[in-house]
């Protein structure tokens, strides 16, 4: 990824990967600031360009009683406070056309969820804000088909676009990463690997998505080895009480070790090029 895609990035370590990381959803100011402070400390130490991630609302939920958010503007103001306090850019999901202009007032990167990446009006609305657009690859889409999603952004007058792979559906209740797709999609835009969502186990009978957090470092290492520009992962200081996607999150206490190993691997990969 060209680091000037997001000019607010604190570091310019061009030979390192960048990181999109934070909680799945903004549950409150204290939790967001606590998580952001810890990640900033780690990424400063390891010289990893960092973008804080947090969804201001969750529209794609299995059950009607699932947590969806604390209020749109309240959550977006927390994202702005994180950015201003720690001097890092932020990314959040949008789900409706009206979300694009609202969220663009508060964050640096607008993320199109995987289930919505074929929704032309939504993608175009995000592009027209002038913000960086992060397109999540649909679980049902081939790597080659993401070229058309990228083209929608560019044809809307916005060159600031990246692709995030978050796995492909394997049967009904598992996600698999096809690493052949990374070099394919890098022909179209910078590519990020969403490690934690790639380890989801959706469609559980309970209506709550499961996951395999024990495989996070394995998938992340494979992504670095195959040349991803960035790593996306969700983290929480106590995934067991997270209001969304806790089953596939990385515990915040384990983040530094995982990132340290990934930085070392990236240096080795760079030497082989």
């Amino acid at each position: 990824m060209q680091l000037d895609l997001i000019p607010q990035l604190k570091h310019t370590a061009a030979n390192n990967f960048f990181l999109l990381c934070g909680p799945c959803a903004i549950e409150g100011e204290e939790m967001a600031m606590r998580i952001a402070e810890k990640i900033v400390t780690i990424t400063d130490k390891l010289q990893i360009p960092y973008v804080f991630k947090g969804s201001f609302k969750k529209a794609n939920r299995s059950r009607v009683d699932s947590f969806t958010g604390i209020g749109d503007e309240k959550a977006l103001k927390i994202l702005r406070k994180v950015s201003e306090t720690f001097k890092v850019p932020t990314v959040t999901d949008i789900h409706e056309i009206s979300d694009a202009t609202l969220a663009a007032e508060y964050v640096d990167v607008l993320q199109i969820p995987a289930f919505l990446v074929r929704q032309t009006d939504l993608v175009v609305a995000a592009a027209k804000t002038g913000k960086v657009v992060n397109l999540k690859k649909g679980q049902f889409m081939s790597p080659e088909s993401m070229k058309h999603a990228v083209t929608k952004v560019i044809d809307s007058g916005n060159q600031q676009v990246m692709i995030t792979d978050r796995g492909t559906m394997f049967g009904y209740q598992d996600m698999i990463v096809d690493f052949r797709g990374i070099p394919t999609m890098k022909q179209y835009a910078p590519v990020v690997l969403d490690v934690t969502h790639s380890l989801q186990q959706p469609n559980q009978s309970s209506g709550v998505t499961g996951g395999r957090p024990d495989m996070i470092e394995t998938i992340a290492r494979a992504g670095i080895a195959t040349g991803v520009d960035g790593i996306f992962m969700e983290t929480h200081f106590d995934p067991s009480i997270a209001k969304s996607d806790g089953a596939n999150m990385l515990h915040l206490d384990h983040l530094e070790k995982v990132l340290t190993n990934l930085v070392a691997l990236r240096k080795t990969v760079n030497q082989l090029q």
Side-chain angles (χ1 to χ4, degrees), residues 182-234:
I182 291 171
T184 297
M185 291 187 292
K186 284 186 69 170
Q187 299 175 68
Y188 318 136
V191 174
V192 179
L193 178 61
D194 181 345
V195 178
T196 46
H197 285 105
S198 294
L199 292 167
Q200 280 186 334
Q201 294 177 318
N203 302 320
Q204 301 295 311
S205 58
S206 64
V208 178
T209 298
R212 289 290 308 275
D214 57 302
M215 297 295 291
I216 286 173
E217 186 165 349
T218 298
I219 297 297
R221 286 188 180 199
I224 295 295
T226 48
V228 294
D229 299 288
I231 292 290
F232 177 114
M233 61 176 70
E234 292 181 340

Side-chain angles (χ1 to χ4, degrees), residues 14 23 41 58 69 74 78 94 98 121 129 133 149 179 212 214 230 249:
T41 299
K58 301 298 295 182
K74 183 177 180 180
I78 291 171
I94 61 171
S98 59
D121 289 349
T129 66
V133 179
F179 289 96
R212 289 290 308 275
D214 57 302
M249 278 186 182

